[in-house]
Amino acid sequence: MPLPTHTHCPYCGLQCAMSVTGTSVTPVEFPTNRGRLCQKGWSSADLLTHTDRLLQPLVRRDGQLRETSWDDALYRVARGFRGAQAVGGRDAVGVFGAGALTNEKAYLLGKFARVALGTANIDYSGRFCMAAASEAGLRSFGVDRGLPFPVADLDDAGAVLVFGGNPAETMPPFMQHLEPAASCGGLIVVDPRQSATAERALRGKGIHVALTPGTDLPLALALTHLAVTEGFADRAYIAERTSGFDEFWAAAARWWPERAEQVTGVAVSQMYQVVQTLCAARDRGAGAYVLTARGAEQHRDGTDTVSAVIALALVLGLCGRPGSGYGCVTGQANGQGGRELGQKAGQLPGYRKITDPADRAHLGKVWGVDPGELPGAGMSACEMFAALGRPGGIRALMVCGSNIAVSAPDASRVIEGLRSLDLLVVNDFVLSETAQLADVVLPVLQWAEEEGTLTSLEGRVLRRRRSVPAPPGPRSELHILQDLAVRLGQPADRFPTSAPQVFEELRAATAGAAADYSGITYQRLDDGQALYWPCPGADHPGTPRLFLDRFATADGRARFVPVEPRGPAEPADSQFPLLATTGRLLAQYQSGAQTRRVAALAQAAGPMFAQMHPDVAARAGLSDGDQVEVVSRRGRTAAIVRCDPTMRPDTVFLPFHFPGLASANRLTNAVLDPDSGMPEFKVCAIRLDKPTAAPDSPTHDHTDHTSGHHRLQEISDPVQIPRGCP
Ligand code: SF4
């Protein structure tokens, strides 16, 4: 009988603690999940023995993916990288990582890109997740940590404003921490849709602010305006702990509530209620918190929107005080560690900047290379996708644990780009839709088969422990990176393959940086110490709460940032009269590459649907349960009509977990927030068409029928993949 192993859920940033015995999972008492798991966590071990598990490398021969040896696969990858760089220069090879990678893998991937490949072009899936909040946090606080306080601090809150988040579905155990506020009418949810979180707020006599999609920034400015003009501002706090209020106010003053009401559709009286609820909790000492998530971020003015929400929190005097604060709820398992340890474009480990000579010198020393040889800042995710296969762009791409064929905006164009590459390499443990397009697929280990660390949404570093033996065949990314680095001319010892060894190097790489891990060791974590970065020394206790004395800016003050709404890039018009907004479901995770393969989750989530008001369906001649084609300027998506009288009559909600014809990202707009590179997932103009021909079940279509490229046929053909898991 195997012994239970204490580890954490592989899916989201809450990092619920669990005990794994063989392939059986049970929740563990831990501050973030308090002995609870969601459906995804309970079923997380199902994939360990799934028949779709990849066990051997695959290479494309005669148009089909066929099993091969590791030596052959890696030889082809190294040769392909060298060939692409010989033609297009060092930056012709791109690397795309993931917020699901452990800290050690994210770190080594960044080093591999900059040192072994010498390319500037590395970015990761977190660009879609919280890049805007990251940028806004840096602007206002001087450092980017999702929650600058432990999740459990929310337990004492009298009011919590969730601006653009739906934790009741994305991370259900998180809701325990909102219960005290929700039960006393203090939960406020900003969301165009009456989500499960909004319903919880309403049940407790809280507030649901159902704004027009794409108007988050005017709303945030109007709330701040109200706070200032109605006497809710904490003037002493603004004077003592912030800078830039006057410049901010010069812009925000133009967004008086009545003007914002016209744009957002939110009544002034409700805006007042929101601000008053937060202030009442603050003033009675019950604690007031403001949280943002993807709903505030995934806009072309996402960074500015989060800056405006932060401004509201600053005006109310909530940040950097015990019992109150602002935070961003990170989505992916290692969304936090993944972005601060070197796989983000332009960023070196610890939030060091690749453009800063001192930071380059530090990393050059740790890595044993000439800092002058390190590349500069590269392209962000969508910029890289736009450059796939283009002259002077990316000729070869390595994708590690991401399924960009489903998760990227304007996915059909991304798929075209992937098909035009000289070489596409995908590291994954299942044949995701992106892997189906690859020239080489390298099978990797799963979460329970490996060691490492992750950093949760509250900045706490956690141990991931091996709880089951790895099957023969797949390899850790650490081994893959070392092998490729050696084939590219690097010394093997520059790319360690053991996670503890990589972590030791990572500690040195981040020493003295904003996200300082140097005082964190496996031993301290295994001893049960709760270590939050920055942790600059072996005797340092870590920093659960940031900003209590000062912010991480040069003058120690939080900065107000003046912002001006730009509005959605694609408002509704006569051709496309509705607005689509995308989001997640309780029983699915991100692109669904994993969770669509778990039978219980696939059954619970059901097929792809388009949620709309019954009147909207009726106007299109549709009823609940009908097939519909949702059409934008970029493509069409097949879905089933789900009528819901709580929906706004101008809005259609689309979950983004489904592939092929059912992919919501065939519709979304790849327009970017210029400050963060965040795509505008949350709003695009659409219309509803009755299907011209009955399509196959939207959930089970894994092909892209929009392109005539030769690989379309290859994906449709039976792919020779290994089956079964020992
Ligand atoms: Fe896993 Fe997140 Fe669910 Fe917790 S809330 S069990 S971390 S998916």
Side-chain angles (χ1 to χ4, degrees), residues 9-16 36-38 40-42 170-173:
C9 174
Y11 288 118
C12 87
L14 194 59
Q15 282 298 289
C16 297
R36 295 189 190 176
L37 297 173
C38 76
K40 297 181 285 276
W42 277 109
T170 56
M171 47 177 69

Side-chain angles (χ1 to χ4, degrees), residues 570 576 630-636 666-668 684-686:
E570 199 177 66
F576 297 94
V630 187
V631 187
S632 79
R633 286 182 174 82
R634 290 155 293 282
R636 39 182 73 228
R666 290 158 68 101
L667 308 176
T668 48
C684 69
I686 55 151

Side-chain angles (χ1 to χ4, degrees), residues 612-674:
M612 64 191 79
H613 193 280
D615 293 348
V616 172
R619 275 201 298 277
L622 297 162
S623 310
D624 194 56
D626 284 354
Q627 292 276 355
V628 62
E629 286 193 7
V630 187
V631 187
S632 79
R633 286 182 174 82
R634 290 155 293 282
R636 39 182 73 228
T637 292
I640 290 166
V641 173
R642 185 177 287 183
C643 287
D644 182 338
T646 68
M647 287 292 290
R648 292 176 56 94
D650 56 2
T651 304
V652 174
F653 171 76
L654 302 168
F656 65 80
H657 312 290
F658 300 98
L661 288 175
S663 168
N665 279 319
R666 290 158 68 101
L667 308 176
T668 48
N669 195 352
V671 65
L672 301 184
D673 170 18

Side-chain angles (χ1 to χ4, degrees), residues 126-136 297 303 344 675-678:
R127 182 68 63 180
F128 304 154
C129 182
M130 54 172 301
S134 166
E135 199 59 37
E297 291 181 57
T303 302
K344 189 172 179 182
D675 298 306
S676 67
M678 171 70 86

Side-chain angles (χ1 to χ4, degrees), residues 80-81 84 92-95 388 393-398 421-425:
F81 285 164
V93 176
V95 176
L388 296 178
I394 304 288
R395 304 181 70 95
L397 181 71
M398 182 163 77
L421 290 168
D422 296 349
L423 175 72
L424 173 62
V425 185

